Amino acid sequence: MQKYLAKSNPPETIQEHTDNLLKNYQTLKKLYPEINIDWYLLELVCLLHDLGKMNRLFQKKVGNGSGVGKEIPHGYLSVAFVPYSKLEDLGYSEDEIQVVYQAIARHHERKKDFTEQEWETEIEKLSEQWETFFYERLADNADYSSKIDEIYFYPEARIFEGENTVEIETFKNYVQLKGLLNRIDFAASAGIDVELENDFLQESMEHQLANFQEKNAAADWNLLQKYMLQHQNENVVVIAETGMGKTEAGLLWLGNHKGFFTLPLRTAINAIYTRVTREIVTDKQAQRVGLLHSETYSQYLLHEENTEMEIDEYYTRTRQMSLPVTICTLDQLFDFVFRYAGFEHKLATLSYSKVIIDEIQMYSPDLLAYLILGLSYIDKFGGKFCVMTATLPGIVLDLLHDNEVDFIQPEEKFVSERVRHSVEVVHTEIDSVFIKPFFHDNRILVICNTISKAKKIYSELKAMFPNKKVRLIHSQFIKKDRSKKEEEIFEDGQKDNPESCIWVATQVVEASLDIDFDLLFTELSDINGLFQRMGRCYRNRALDVDTNVYVFDGGEKVCSGVGQFIDKTIFMNSKKALEKCNGALTEMKKMEIVEQIYSTEALKKSEFYDELTQALNYVKSFDSYELDKKEVRSKFRNINSITAIPATVWQENKEEITSYMEILARSSKEVSKKEKMIARTNLAEFMLNIPDYLYKKSEGEVHRINRYETVIEFKCDYSEDIGIIM
């Protein structure tokens, strides 16, 4: 019997690789038997997907043979072994058999650069290899044919979503079959389990409640948490005020299911991950809870419970979505809405998962559009979602209904009677002279809409209080300094911290930090952003002062940032609504104002509405597979900034920066993948994102690391107190 390799490093035969797929197939079937999939067809595509690797040109590539000619991607050759006669006898329809062919042919998304004649020639040559190939687990599930009937497959064919019921159903079957084959194949190649069982979360939550009861015998889950527990099997949209225990509510709804917990900001995700792994799931975290965003590896390095040996496997499990619970950003999960080549494994996974969407009001119009479409797909494919939010824009509910998404809502909002904020609206631009008399042995937070305004207010307050603690935080600090500042504002922002301070910030603190200042002075942005900002002051305590929030509405002018990244219509509507908000403001009143200002009717003439509807129509207008993944990443992240190192930072840390670049320049034979990851993580500590408009005002010097990577040194000054100085 001839030995045919599936891969060369380390050597693994086609049979051995397929054995690993079948093992993962059994794991998936055992853990999630309810998946809407034809299990026989999934097993069949696992058995057949790599048989095309027998071809001589592939074997030559892996050092196991010789041959000349043009190598055809092996998936297109593996279709020669589909036992279509058996499938016909078993009663499978033409559409169902097409799905089998397509899932095998396209299990790797390769660009087609061969003619039909070249393809047919290579398939005919496979007969020779087939005679010397034996794999007992194939039995009668493979049947070589040198000619493939065009009604089932030809290389140009694709399965599209279509509009009629049959086409939609065929597309769903294809996404499930190819997507799960991909998941099983990726896991087998990576040497990990395709899924790890969630047999711990319910017990962990019960243990958490027992911990609360040790401190207070009467402790119990609150009404929100009980509601989520009672509606575990439904799509749920709930509104609940800050401090209601939404994280616990989401995890109770998730129960012992596979789940994804999404939040808008990396800092918020890191905080939730830290909390869940240290307070709730305190054992075997690397098999249970993952963190998925663009800086996952560096975050894993920061957690001392992750041993060095474990991090690589933990990272792989996370990237392959094998963990029971994953806390992640929207772009890591919902980019499948663009239906790019290779999206299927994400939607197939979500078809048997539960997705928690927290802080939906924080998303920009385009991301909100992707989210709405994503939820409609999850619902159609059989997955479940819950949306938990402190304030819910009315337009979200309308869009969910318009896109035929099925969900339930409790009749009442989960909101307490307590009052946390009393507001005074100041009809001027934000003013440091106004703020000055309020600072005396207390902790003040000042939030501006733009970085330039924040720098100005910071400089003025610093000059007024040269011997006091006055700090600045915004997005234009290098990562190392930003992390330090986040730790410092978190410590200063604890309500029992006796040290007085003033922190000047931008919207970076709106929803990412669990802080509780004594007084808030803020520019008006939009009403949603304003209420988020209020949550950084008297976060979890009842009002015991006359006024704790001062909102500057710009007076006769608009506030900074309006007309740039703050929608002018929403700003003016917010300004008008604020006229009735002087004095104590209940949580219920806040929710009502948000619903009113973000209703479909109120938004119709706004840029926000235009962007949202354009983004929805834009994504819907694409045919499946029209875009590639790289295009989708840039569209989804809406990247309009350049990652760079300020020249001042470069000069001060040149030796260290260069040492990391040298590691990244070496070949994989000289330096391990892990060493490169650590070097990349350390190099990123000196970087920041510079907006396009700023980048164009100066110049950047490009330093090449290797063929694929460069680092930009941006010509500007930099201070760890102020950030970029142009």
Side-chain angles (χ1 to χ4, degrees), residues 58-82:
F58 182 88
Q59 291 303 309
K60 179 187 177 185
K61 187 167 74 177
V62 291
N64 188 40
S66 62
V68 290
K70 183 183 200 173
E71 189 192 339
I72 308 287
H74 66 267
Y76 286 94
L77 302 179
S78 297
V79 295
F81 302 96
V82 174

Side-chain angles (χ1 to χ4, degrees), residues 439-457:
F439 185 42
H440 45 80
D441 297 326
N442 56 357
R443 294 167 307 115
I444 287 177
L445 179 62
V446 182
I447 305 182
C448 302
N449 293 342
T450 61
I451 293 172
S452 56
K453 181 69 80 174
K455 285 178 179 176
K456 177 178 180 290
I457 296 292

Side-chain angles (χ1 to χ4, degrees), residues 252-280:
L252 285 166
W253 174 80
L254 183 56
N256 281 0
H257 293 87
K258 183 176 182 68
F260 296 87
F261 198 124
T262 71
L263 293 112
L265 298 167
R266 272 203 305 262
T267 40
I269 291 165
N270 294 342
I272 293 273
Y273 169 75
T274 300
R275 197 177 146 223
V276 169
T277 52
R278 291 188 179 162
E279 294 176 22
I280 299 171

Side-chain angles (χ1 to χ4, degrees), residues 262-264 328-340 346 350 357 363-375 377 615 618-619 622 627-640:
T262 71
L263 293 112
C328 59
T329 46
L330 197 69
D331 66 298
Q332 294 291 342
L333 210 54
F334 276 67
D335 60 354
F336 72 82
V337 297
F338 283 95
R339 306 177 312 288
Y340 55 85
K346 288 190 179 179
L350 292 172
I357 311 290
Y363 290 111
S364 58
D366 52 345
L367 291 181
L368 189 55
Y370 308 152
L371 180 59
I372 299 290
L373 285 175
L375 294 179
Y377 273 112
Y618 176 64
V619 180
F622 284 115
L627 301 176
D628 66 29
K629 192 172 182 180
K630 199 172 177 185
E631 285 177 279
V632 168
R633 298 308 278 172
S634 62
K635 284 178 191 297
F636 201 94
R637 287 178 173 171
N638 196 10
I639 298 166
N640 55 1

Side-chain angles (χ1 to χ4, degrees), residues 76 102-103 105-112 157-160 171 174-175 178-179 182 186 335-347 622-633:
Y76 286 94
Q102 288 285 346
R106 299 183 182 278
H107 73 273
H108 294 299
E109 290 291 348
R110 304 272 192 256
K111 289 260 192 295
K112 182 186 166 293
R158 265 276 192 201
I159 291 174
F160 292 96
F171 180 73
Y174 170 65
V175 169
K178 178 183 182 286
N182 284 152
F186 296 161
D335 60 354
F336 72 82
V337 297
F338 283 95
R339 306 177 312 288
Y340 55 85
F343 80 93
E344 298 88 354
H345 70 286
K346 288 190 179 179
L347 186 48
F622 284 115
D623 280 331
S624 301
Y625 314 109
E626 194 171 322
L627 301 176
D628 66 29
K629 192 172 182 180
K630 199 172 177 185
E631 285 177 279
V632 168
R633 298 308 278 172

Side-chain angles (χ1 to χ4, degrees), residues 86-299:
K86 178 182 177 178
L87 293 175
E88 288 169 345
D89 293 344
L90 288 170
Y92 285 102
S93 70
E94 189 180 299
D95 289 332
E96 288 169 321
I97 297 172
Q98 280 177 6
V99 164
V100 172
Y101 276 95
Q102 288 285 346
I104 293 169
R106 299 183 182 278
H107 73 273
H108 294 299
E109 290 291 348
R110 304 272 192 256
K111 289 260 192 295
K112 182 186 166 293
D113 63 348
F114 54 88
T115 66
E116 200 145 329
Q117 183 59 56
E118 286 170 330
W119 171 66
E120 287 172 355
T121 302
E122 284 305 311
I123 279 182
E124 282 172 14
K125 288 179 185 174
L126 277 175
S127 63
E128 194 182 317
Q129 280 80 35
W130 181 235
E131 285 171 18
T132 60
F133 183 85
F134 175 73
Y135 182 37
E136 61 185 351
R137 295 177 81 166
L138 282 177
D140 64 346
N141 291 309
D143 185 11
Y144 170 75
S145 174
S146 61
K147 298 287 179 201
I148 294 162
D149 195 325
E150 280 199 2
I151 64 163
Y152 292 136
F153 182 79
Y154 58 94
E156 297 294 339
R158 265 276 192 201
I159 291 174
F160 292 96
E161 192 161 4
E163 292 181 6
N164 66 50
T165 311
V166 174
E167 287 175 339
I168 290 168
E169 199 55 35
T170 302
F171 180 73
K172 279 171 71 173
N173 292 339
Y174 170 65
V175 169
Q176 288 289 78
L177 193 65
K178 178 183 182 286
L180 294 178
L181 170 61
N182 284 152
R183 286 286 316 287
I184 290 167
D185 191 18
F186 296 161
S189 296
I192 60 169
D193 291 321
V194 65
E195 290 289 358
L196 292 163
E197 188 175 6
N198 183 349
D199 57 0
F200 58 87
L201 190 56
Q202 265 171 229
E203 192 181 327
S204 297
M205 295 308 293
E206 285 162 17
H207 188 65
Q208 176 84 330
L209 181 59
N211 288 343
F212 294 152
Q213 288 168 339
E214 278 178 25
K215 296 168 191 168
N216 172 10
D220 195 5
W221 299 123
N222 63 28
L223 290 174
L224 164 68
Q225 292 156 347
K226 285 178 178 173
Y227 180 87
M228 298 302 281
L229 202 47
Q230 288 157 7
H231 295 87
Q232 280 186 330
N233 297 318
E234 293 166 280
N235 295 332
V236 184
V237 176
V238 293
I239 304 171
E241 72 172 277
T242 302
M244 273 274 177
K246 290 203 292 290
T247 303
E248 283 81 0
L251 295 174
L252 285 166
W253 174 80
L254 183 56
N256 281 0
H257 293 87
K258 183 176 182 68
F260 296 87
F261 198 124
T262 71
L263 293 112
L265 298 167
R266 272 203 305 262
T267 40
I269 291 165
N270 294 342
I272 293 273
Y273 169 75
T274 300
R275 197 177 146 223
V276 169
T277 52
R278 291 188 179 162
E279 294 176 22
I280 299 171
V281 183
T282 54
D283 191 30
K284 299 181 185 170
Q285 293 99 328
Q287 286 87 43
R288 293 177 167 180
V289 183
L291 174 76
L292 185 57
H293 56 54
S294 57
E295 294 172 9
T296 295
Y297 201 91
S298 58
Q299 281 300 310

Side-chain angles (χ1 to χ4, degrees), residues 364-365 447-451 453 506-507 510 522-530 533 552-553 558-575 597-598 603 606-609 611:
S364 58
I447 305 182
C448 302
N449 293 342
T450 61
I451 293 172
K453 181 69 80 174
T506 56
Q507 71 267 30
E510 274 181 23
T522 178
E523 283 190 280
L524 176 62
S525 52
D526 62 283
I527 211 77
N528 225 334
L530 174 63
R533 292 173 186 189
F552 297 83
D553 69 1
V558 295
C559 293
S560 66
V562 176
Q564 295 167 283
F565 54 89
I566 297 168
D567 187 289
K568 192 166 183 180
T569 303
I570 295 173
F571 173 83
M572 296 310 291
N573 290 347
S574 301
K575 189 170 179 173
I597 287 177
Y598 282 86
L603 286 173
S606 69
E607 284 181 25
F608 181 96
Y609 183 81
E611 281 181 48

